[in-house]
Amino acid sequence: MTGKAEQKSRKEKRKEARSEKQKLHFLSWVQHQGCKSKKPAVPSVESIPVEENKQKKEPTGVKRRRGPEVKRKSKSKKFQEYLEMERGGAVSREEDLETERRLAKKLRVKKGKLGGPDDGIDSLFADLGFEGDIGLDDEVKEIDWNTMDDSKVEKKRRKRKKKKVENDVTKELYDEGVDEENDAKFQDSEDIETNVVELPTVSKVKYVPPSLRATSNSESEEISQMRRRVRGLLNRLSESNVESITQEIAALFRSVPRNTGCQVIGDEVLASCSRGPRGNEQYAAVFASFVAGMACLVGIDFSAKILASLAKSFEDEYSKEDGLSLRNITLLLCYLCIFNVVSSNLVYDLLSVLSKRLTELDVSTVLTILQCCGMKLRGDDPGAMKDFVLSIQNSVNQLKLKGRLAGEDNGKAEIHSKRMEFMLETICDIKNNKKRPKEDPSHHTRIKKWLQNLKAEDFLLRELKWSKLLDPDKKGQWWLSGDLSSTVGNIEDVVAVISKEVVEAQKLVQLAAAQRMNTDIRRAIFCIIMSAEDYVDAFEKILRLDLSGKQDREIIRVIVDCCLQEKVFNKYYTVLASKLCSHDKNHKFSLQYCLWDHFKEVDTMELNRSMNLSKLVAETLANFTLSLATLKVVNLANPLEMTPKKIMHFRMMFETLLHKDDALVWNVFTRIAGLADLEILRDGIVLFIKQHVIAKDTGKDLASKFKIAKKALDNAAGVLM
């Protein structure tokens, strides 16, 4: 009870303290109000000393108490002081002007106008004739202007120079005493300001058909930009950066239409090679490798159109008798032949054209060709080189005879004869297989390795003639159609050739039906495979079919079926299948699935078909088209699954594979080493070879190869030989 009493007394004490505090606050407020009512007059702000107006800074965190000596002036009190000053007249003119200046500064009044954002009030009063100068007479405006800071005025003048013209014109209109001349000026200036309206101009561009767009003089901004970009990249082209620049220009080529890209890039390539100083072989080799790389990345039509432009440029420079440009273009053509962009037949065709004329310019061009790629031409087609030597000897003899009859003894004829003698010496060196130092095959090894990785030999242009390149009426895919008119003499021969092809085609169709090619797609693929000259010809014709989806899968199935139907294994089908798989990964998957299906049929398969299938699998493994992981669907270690026919089939496959070189065996078996999911397959391969291959082998060759294969299967690091 004593605790409760003590607690109650504390509460009462707090209540009494609060009530006393409130009373004190109330008495203080009453005293303050009484002082305000009894005070007679309040001096102006200017008369108060500066020291009395200063407020003492208190430390932060301390609550400031309001004492009786601190008094705040209310807004009503300031207004009351202003009224007393107006009534008493005690304020002088200077003080009045000073007060107006301070008020104008607070209100941001300049030249009789309020500052800040424009709210439209000034324009409203301007229509009434006041122009925003309400409550200010001429004297006040003059004083306000003169008391402003000159630097600020000059700065504002520069910023609002354009608005000042319009304001001045408006003032001129509503000022007193406006005469007719000023009114006319206002009308002129108002017309100038209000009539300056820029309307969008509609450009009338004439439609140009697609067939005539190539001949139009004006290029779009996009094409001009691409041309400048290509020109800059080609200016930096060298043997060290040819790969990166080719990929970058290939990306630009894909962003525009193909014809436009071929035209722009071809023009820049020929301009870089033909114009300018005397080009060397290194310069021509880099540009030729660029053309070869572009053909691999964007298509064979690119190199064909470049060649057509090159032939036209060659004839133009020949007609101008510009030997320097002609030599540069000739070097580019020679290196296009060296890098397998064109065949040697095209260069031989050009040599035959030059040998018939054999002018001084022709002799220098023939010399350039023979010095650059003469040994390659001899190696590609020795018979054509022999024919060229005979034809040029006849032409030289005829020219000498004509020169003797004409009696030419001037200096030009002597120079021509010296060049001709040097050309004949060069031809004799090539005929006798005498290599020169500049024809060292070790040159441009980096470029050749890059083009080899791109499979540049697959994009070789065959059967092109010089006359075909210069033909202005060539249409379609002229680089693939060949030149039938150059090989056939008359119409009767053409008819005979066509009739023969028709008969052969009918036989192929009947053979396809006998081989159970029951769809049009399978028959077409079969006819291409069986009628092709070689695997490259078959590859190009299959690509021209442009099959997609399920139709594309039929290609590999037809190739495998044709291979199994042969009486003796033909490696042609393996090379063609490998070529297609390297071109498209979908063919690789199709081949793998097709072989899996045939593995299931080994027990019911004929012996001849089983033998061809085993050799086909061994060859695809040897050329790295497939890996030994293809055999994971077969349990080689299971004696119940391995029937006698399957044992014979896979024994023949491993024997064919182990008869390869040691390095090849090592690399083939290393491809499945170190993979955890193929551990069962590796154990099955080792067990099968030991039981069914090595045990049946009487010699020691396969035993040594098996040791290599076993070590390769344990080669988890994947080091190749």
Side-chain angles (χ1 to χ4, degrees):
M1 295 296 291
T2 58
K4 290 184 179 179
E6 290 177 0
Q7 187 177 3
K8 186 175 181 181
S9 63
R10 284 199 298 270
K11 288 182 180 180
E12 290 176 354
K13 288 180 181 180
R14 285 198 296 269
K15 287 182 181 180
E16 290 175 359
R18 282 197 298 268
S19 62
E20 289 292 333
K21 193 174 182 179
Q22 289 177 358
K23 287 179 182 180
L24 289 175
H25 279 302
F26 177 76
L27 291 175
S28 174
W29 180 79
V30 170
Q31 185 181 2
H32 177 66
Q33 292 294 331
C35 293
K36 286 173 62 177
S37 60
K38 292 177 182 180
K39 197 170 183 178
V42 180
S44 61
V45 180
E46 287 79 1
S47 63
I48 300 174
V50 179
E51 295 179 358
E52 294 180 4
N53 290 334
K54 288 184 179 179
Q55 297 179 358
K56 296 182 180 180
K57 294 184 180 179
E58 298 180 0
T60 58
V62 179
K63 190 173 181 181
R64 183 170 59 89
R65 294 176 178 242
R66 186 179 296 174
E69 68 278 358
V70 180
K71 298 179 181 179
R72 181 184 295 176
K73 289 186 178 181
S74 62
K75 296 182 180 179
S76 60
K77 188 66 177 177
K78 292 182 180 179
F79 183 68
Q80 187 177 0
E81 292 176 3
Y82 179 73
L83 291 178
E84 289 178 358
M85 287 189 294
E86 288 290 331
R87 291 172 185 173
V91 182
S92 63
R93 178 180 177 85
E94 289 77 10
E95 292 177 352
D96 190 11
L97 294 178
E98 180 65 22
T99 303
E100 290 181 0
R101 185 188 66 77
R102 286 189 293 101
L103 291 174
K105 186 175 181 181
K106 289 182 178 180
L107 296 174
R108 298 180 182 178
V109 177
K110 293 182 180 180
K111 298 182 68 176
K113 295 183 180 180
L114 290 173
D118 188 10
D119 54 0
I121 299 297
D122 291 342
S123 61
L124 179 62
F125 284 106
D127 294 339
L128 299 176
F130 296 104
E131 198 194 355
D133 297 337
I134 302 173
L136 294 173
D137 53 1
D138 296 338
E139 184 180 359
V140 175
K141 286 191 288 183
E142 182 180 356
I143 293 170
D144 181 42
W145 174 258
N146 292 331
T147 55
M148 289 179 67
D149 192 1
D150 293 339
S151 62
K152 293 182 179 180
V153 172
E154 188 65 28
K155 188 176 181 181
K156 293 295 182 181
R157 276 180 183 171
R158 289 195 299 268
K159 288 184 178 179
R160 305 170 71 179
K161 190 175 181 180
K162 293 183 180 180
K163 293 185 178 180
K164 183 180 176 183
V165 177
E166 184 177 357
N167 293 335
D168 291 343
V169 172
T170 310
K171 274 177 97 177
E172 241 177 47
L173 177 64
Y174 292 102
D175 280 346
E176 296 181 358
V178 176
D179 54 2
E180 296 179 358
E181 182 177 357
N182 292 335
D183 195 7
K185 289 181 180 179
F186 171 75
Q187 294 292 340
D188 294 339
S189 62
E190 187 180 18
D191 293 340
I192 292 171
E193 294 293 330
T194 57
N195 292 333
V196 180
V197 180
E198 296 184 0
L199 296 175
T201 58
V202 180
S203 59
K204 297 182 179 180
V205 181
K206 187 178 179 181
Y207 173 74
V208 180
S211 60
L212 300 177
R213 287 174 189 171
T215 59
S216 60
N217 295 326
S218 60
E219 287 184 347
S220 64
E221 182 64 24
E222 182 183 0
I223 303 303
S224 301
Q225 241 174 12
M226 178 188 175
R227 187 180 292 275
R228 290 193 294 269
R229 180 65 176 156
V230 170
R231 188 177 302 167
L233 290 172
L234 291 179
N235 287 339
R236 297 191 290 109
L237 192 65
S238 64
E239 188 172 350
S240 59
N241 61 7
V242 63
E243 302 177 30
S244 59
I245 289 180
T246 303
Q247 292 176 356
E248 191 169 350
I249 295 180
L252 288 174
F253 178 86
R254 297 186 188 100
S255 64
V256 297
R258 294 187 70 87
N259 287 334
T260 305
C262 291
Q263 183 68 31
V264 171
I265 299 175
D267 292 344
E268 295 302 323
V269 168
L270 292 177
S272 301
C273 290
S274 63
R275 299 172 190 169
R278 178 186 176 92
N280 55 8
E281 294 189 12
Q282 179 71 20
Y283 191 75
V286 171
F287 275 88
S289 63
F290 163 74
V291 174
M294 285 290 293
C296 298
L297 294 177
V298 302
I300 197 172
D301 58 326
F302 176 83
S303 57
K305 292 176 181 178
I306 290 282
L307 278 171
S309 301
L310 184 145
K312 186 178 180 302
S313 180
F314 183 92
E315 294 297 330
D316 293 341
E317 300 300 333
Y318 185 87
S319 61
K320 297 176 185 177
E321 296 185 355
D322 189 351
L324 192 61
S325 298
L326 200 64
R327 182 182 183 276
N328 295 340
I329 295 173
T330 305
L331 285 175
L332 179 61
L333 177 63
C334 293
Y335 274 95
L336 287 175
C337 178
I338 291 173
F339 294 145
N340 294 322
V341 178
V342 295
S343 64
S344 57
N345 295 332
L346 179 63
V347 183
Y348 276 125
D349 193 26
L350 176 60
L351 287 174
S352 64
V353 173
L354 298 175
S355 63
K356 292 176 182 177
R357 297 179 300 202
L358 214 60
T359 61
E360 184 179 358
L361 204 57
D362 294 327
V363 171
S364 60
T365 306
V366 170
L367 264 174
T368 303
I369 294 174
L370 295 178
Q371 289 175 349
C372 185
C373 62
M375 297 305 298
K376 185 181 187 308
L377 295 175
R378 181 184 184 276
D380 290 345
D381 195 348
M385 177 59 73
K386 182 179 179 181
D387 296 337
F388 165 69
V389 171
L390 293 176
S391 64
I392 206 166
Q393 285 178 352
N394 294 331
S395 300
V396 169
N397 293 331
Q398 291 178 3
L399 285 175
K400 287 182 178 180
L401 182 61
K402 289 180 181 179
R404 289 173 185 173
L405 294 175
E408 293 181 354
D409 292 328
N410 52 10
K412 186 176 181 180
E414 291 180 1
I415 294 173
H416 188 193
S417 63
K418 289 181 180 179
R419 286 185 179 176
M420 194 170 293
E421 289 177 1
F422 183 64
M423 180 190 68
L424 294 175
E425 291 178 2
T426 306
I427 292 174
C428 290
D429 291 341
I430 294 173
K431 181 182 177 182
N432 298 327
N433 198 17
K434 291 183 179 180
K435 293 184 178 181
R436 296 181 178 271
K438 63 165 49 178
E439 295 181 355
D440 188 2
S442 62
H443 288 175
H444 316 297
T445 53
R446 182 174 181 176
I447 293 176
K448 290 179 180 178
K449 186 177 181 180
W450 170 56
L451 295 177
Q452 187 178 2
N453 293 333
L454 290 178
K455 308 289 185 182
E457 65 274 5
D458 298 341
F459 299 89
L460 177 66
L461 290 167
R462 297 178 176 84
E463 303 302 330
L464 276 182
K465 301 293 181 182
W466 190 257
S467 58
K468 187 68 175 179
L469 294 176
L470 297 174
D471 185 11
D473 299 328
K474 51 183 179 292
K475 297 179 181 179
Q477 294 182 342
W478 50 268
W479 55 90
L480 299 176
S481 59
D483 195 1
L484 184 63
S485 60
S486 62
T487 58
V488 182
N490 49 33
I491 298 175
E492 294 179 357
D493 295 336
V494 174
V495 173
V497 171
I498 294 174
S499 300
K500 185 178 179 181
E501 291 179 353
V502 169
V503 173
E504 291 179 356
Q506 291 177 353
K507 291 181 179 180
L508 285 175
V509 171
Q510 294 175 0
L511 184 60
Q515 298 294 331
R516 293 179 298 178
M517 303 297 170
N518 49 9
T519 62
D520 293 337
I521 298 299
R522 291 174 68 88
R523 282 192 288 268
I525 297 170
F526 178 82
C527 292
I528 289 174
I529 293 171
M530 303 307 293
S531 63
E533 296 179 0
D534 53 6
Y535 77 96
V536 179
D537 186 29
F539 172 75
E540 292 178 355
K541 289 179 179 179
I542 288 173
L543 290 184
R544 277 180 241 163
L545 289 176
D546 196 17
L547 302 178
S548 60
K550 294 182 180 180
Q551 296 177 346
D552 198 34
R553 302 173 192 169
E554 298 292 336
I555 298 173
I556 294 296
R557 294 190 176 275
V558 173
I559 292 173
V560 174
D561 287 340
C562 293
C563 179
L564 299 185
Q565 291 292 337
E566 293 286 345
K567 293 181 180 180
V568 180
F569 176 73
N570 191 348
K571 203 174 179 180
Y572 161 75
Y573 301 104
T574 307
V575 178
L576 178 58
S578 301
K579 184 72 174 173
L580 289 168
C581 292
S582 62
H583 179 265
D584 191 354
K585 290 184 178 179
N586 293 328
H587 293 303
K588 184 176 181 179
F589 297 139
S590 298
L591 178 60
Q592 194 171 14
Y593 295 143
C594 183
L595 293 178
W596 287 349
D597 293 339
H598 282 87
F599 288 159
K600 299 175 184 178
E601 302 173 356
V602 171
D603 289 332
T604 60
M605 193 178 292
E606 297 177 0
L607 182 60
N608 188 44
R609 290 172 60 88
S610 177
M611 186 184 300
N612 290 339
L613 179 63
S614 63
K615 292 184 178 180
L616 174 65
V617 175
E619 291 296 332
T620 54
L621 294 174
N623 57 27
F624 304 105
T625 302
L626 297 177
S627 69
L628 284 169
T630 309
L631 304 179
K632 64 184 179 181
V633 297
V634 182
N635 193 353
L636 297 172
N638 188 0
L640 299 177
E641 185 177 346
M642 298 305 296
T643 60
K645 282 192 174 182
K646 285 186 178 180
I647 292 173
M648 184 185 63
H649 172 80
F650 289 106
R651 180 166 62 97
M652 194 178 302
M653 185 198 73
F654 281 115
E655 285 179 355
T656 306
L657 190 59
L658 292 175
H659 277 101
K660 302 292 182 180
D661 296 336
D662 294 349
L664 185 60
V665 172
W666 173 273
N667 294 336
V668 168
F669 284 88
T670 300
R671 293 185 70 184
I672 63 171
L675 300 176
D677 54 342
L678 297 179
E679 185 177 359
I680 298 175
L681 175 62
R682 292 194 293 269
D683 295 339
I685 290 174
V686 172
L687 182 61
F688 183 87
I689 295 176
K690 186 183 294 185
Q691 290 181 353
H692 303 290
V693 179
I694 304 301
K696 302 291 183 180
D697 183 38
T698 57
K700 296 182 180 180
D701 295 336
L702 295 183
S704 61
K705 294 293 181 65
F706 175 64
K707 291 180 181 179
I708 296 174
K710 192 174 180 180
K711 289 181 180 179
L713 290 174
D714 297 332
N715 181 20
V719 180
L720 301 177
M721 284 180 118

